[in-house]
Amino acid sequence: MNDMKYDEANQEYSRQTQQKFEFYFIALVFTILALSIQTSVMTELNWQRFFELLSWVCLLLSGLSGLSRLEWVAVVFRLFGNRQTETRNAEKHEQAMAGGSIQNIDGSVMTKEEMIKMKKHYKDNIDLMTKEISRIEKWLSIKYEVHKWGFVIGLCSLIISRAMQKLMV
């Protein structure tokens, strides 16, 4: 196996591991949320109730932001693929322009103006997709932070609430 195949295998393993982790993490969040609601016991302590409800809200926000993130990760990968295809098409167009002529679908030869217009079309599409990818990646980063920290705060709040329950007994 050459180095390129090792790189591809490592990238595929990394992608699959990350994907499994993301599914596991979302399932974990919703499982803890469901169990905490099913096993909750409210005491007379307002602080205990506060921490219990805070844990539910944080876990719910964490789970929902994780689901939303999963939904949009697929969109980013689709855009990456489209941008790659458009880049390859632009490169082929450049090579054909260097050769002197390009045929249209109907068999006629493109004029110099049509070739330049097509080149600009490819460049504009690539730029547009790059901007869209950057915008979505920014939101994905925010959603991941909400997912991660919502889980941490929710879990800590749940632990505090349950510790308060035990102290009251």
Side-chain angles (χ1 to χ4, degrees), residues 21-153:
F21 172 78
E22 288 173 1
F23 285 122
Y24 170 78
F25 192 33
I26 289 172
L28 178 66
V29 170
F30 281 116
T31 301
I32 291 173
L33 174 62
L35 287 173
S36 69
I37 291 171
Q38 289 175 356
T39 61
S40 70
V41 175
M42 297 292 181
T43 65
E44 293 85 36
L45 284 174
N46 288 334
W47 283 107
Q48 184 270 330
R49 290 182 193 156
F50 169 77
F51 282 113
E52 189 77 21
L53 294 174
L54 177 65
S55 72
W56 295 353
V57 169
C58 288
L59 290 170
L60 181 62
L61 285 175
S62 173
L64 293 176
S65 66
L67 285 175
S68 177
R69 186 171 173 274
L70 274 183
E71 176 185 17
W72 283 95
V73 163
V75 173
V76 167
F77 279 114
R78 189 187 73 234
L79 284 171
F80 274 131
N82 291 347
R83 186 177 68 179
Q84 238 175 343
T85 300
E86 201 73 359
T87 300
R88 278 194 300 273
N89 289 341
E91 289 168 356
K92 288 178 186 175
H93 186 78
E94 282 287 327
Q95 291 170 354
M97 281 179 68
S101 67
I102 302 174
Q103 284 190 342
N104 284 315
I105 295 172
D106 63 2
S108 63
V109 176
M110 277 188 177
T111 64
K112 189 70 169 172
E113 293 80 27
E114 288 175 322
M115 286 192 265
I116 292 169
K117 185 178 177 183
M118 183 62 84
K119 180 179 175 181
K120 182 179 179 341
H121 171 76
Y122 285 129
K123 183 186 178 323
D124 290 346
N125 280 350
I126 292 167
D127 290 344
L128 184 67
M129 285 184 254
T130 300
K131 287 177 186 172
E132 186 66 8
I133 288 168
S134 295
R135 185 186 70 78
I136 294 172
E137 282 181 330
K138 182 184 107 185
W139 279 107
L140 288 176
S141 177
I142 292 168
K143 288 177 184 184
Y144 179 73
E145 293 300 318
V146 170
H147 183 46
K148 178 176 68 175
W149 291 108
F151 174 74
V152 169
I153 293 168

